[in-house]
Amino acid sequence: MMKSPIYLSLIDAEETHKVRHPILRKGRPVASCVFENDLDPDTLHLGAFEKDLLVGVLSAYRRPHPDFAHQNSYQIRGVAVLEDHQKKGIGRLLMSSIEEKLLEKSIDFIWLNARIAAVPFYQQLQYTVHGDVFDIPPIGPHFCYFKCLR
Ligand SMILES: CC(C)(COP(=O)(O)OP(=O)(O)OC[C@H]1O[C@@H](n2cnc3c(N)ncnc32)[C@H](O)[C@@H]1OP(=O)(O)O)[C@@H](O)C(=O)NCCC(=O)NCCS
């Protein structure tokens, strides 16, 4: 069977919940899908669509990391792909597209807190680990990863 093409588009904050909820906040109230600064004018929400179905999301927030001097910096959060669509390159597409968009905005530094299960994904995408494992309750252990864009 022929694979359907994936297309990417900016979406609004609430639309991200369709993927955030089953993948990142499973079994918890939908309200737990609302992240701080989701509605800030600088925040970007990106969706990956297969036909009309939203299958992947990520969000990017203008926010420096306290350990780094880079002020032109964004944090990536809420990276998620629907289970049946994982490991098909959609996460990689979303990440490379947001990197391009942020470069266009003269952003030079991206950082994120990765769940342990997602560490190989960010390593594959050439992100570098910073510091030791730490806990984000109630989600669990995370590592900080970063990438300099220029
Ligand atoms: C992590 C996640 C976003 C990755 O998206 P995806 O569409 O499945 O990833 P891709 O298919 O684009 O993978 C890109 C590369 O990373 C690798 N990769 C992805 N997930 C991996 C994993 N769990 N273990 C090892 N490698 C992995 C892929 O093999 C691929 O490498 P390749 O191109 O050399 O084959 C997705 O699996 C997901 O939603 N997981 C659950 C939620 C989550 O943990 N989100 C991250 C929160 S920090």
Side-chain angles (χ1 to χ4, degrees):
M1 210 168 70
M2 222 169 77
K3 254 173 67 177
S4 303
I6 299 294
Y7 72 93
L8 302 181
S9 171
L10 290 172
I11 57 177
D12 64 30
E14 212 176 320
E15 208 171 353
T16 64
H17 300 180
K18 292 179 190 163
V19 182
R20 279 185 189 174
H21 195 227
I23 302 301
L24 298 173
R25 295 290 184 270
K26 197 171 179 173
R28 295 178 51 200
V30 181
S32 67
C33 295
V34 176
F35 296 174
E36 204 184 342
N37 305 116
D38 265 351
L39 298 178
D40 281 8
D42 280 338
T43 299
L44 300 173
H45 303 283
L46 190 60
F49 292 83
E50 190 182 270
K51 301 198 183 99
D52 288 339
L53 181 69
L54 182 64
V55 294
V57 294
L58 65 68
S59 302
Y61 306 81
R62 181 181 272 281
R63 185 178 297 155
H65 188 289
D67 293 352
F68 293 92
H70 301 79
Q71 290 302 306
N72 254 348
S73 172
Y74 263 70
Q75 179 186 8
I76 306 290
R77 292 190 67 193
V79 185
V81 174
L82 290 183
E83 220 158 274
D84 289 353
H85 294 76
Q86 291 177 5
K87 297 274 178 79
K88 294 177 179 173
I90 295 170
R92 180 191 286 276
L93 263 181
L94 284 163
M95 291 295 292
S96 52
S97 169
I98 201 71
E99 287 173 14
E100 266 174 43
K101 285 185 193 304
L102 293 177
L103 256 176
E104 282 165 18
K105 286 162 69 80
S106 299
I107 298 305
D108 55 15
F109 190 81
I110 292 183
W111 64 278
L112 54 92
N113 295 323
R115 296 172 180 213
I116 303 280
V119 157
F121 170 67
Y122 296 112
Q123 284 175 337
Q124 198 69 17
L125 271 48
Q126 270 79 52
Y127 281 73
T128 304
V129 71
H130 166 67
D132 292 329
V133 67
F134 64 99
D135 195 41
I136 304 183
I139 314 289
H142 285 71
F143 279 97
C144 177
Y145 273 80
F146 69 92
K147 186 188 267 189
C148 294
L149 294 183
R150 53 179 91 223

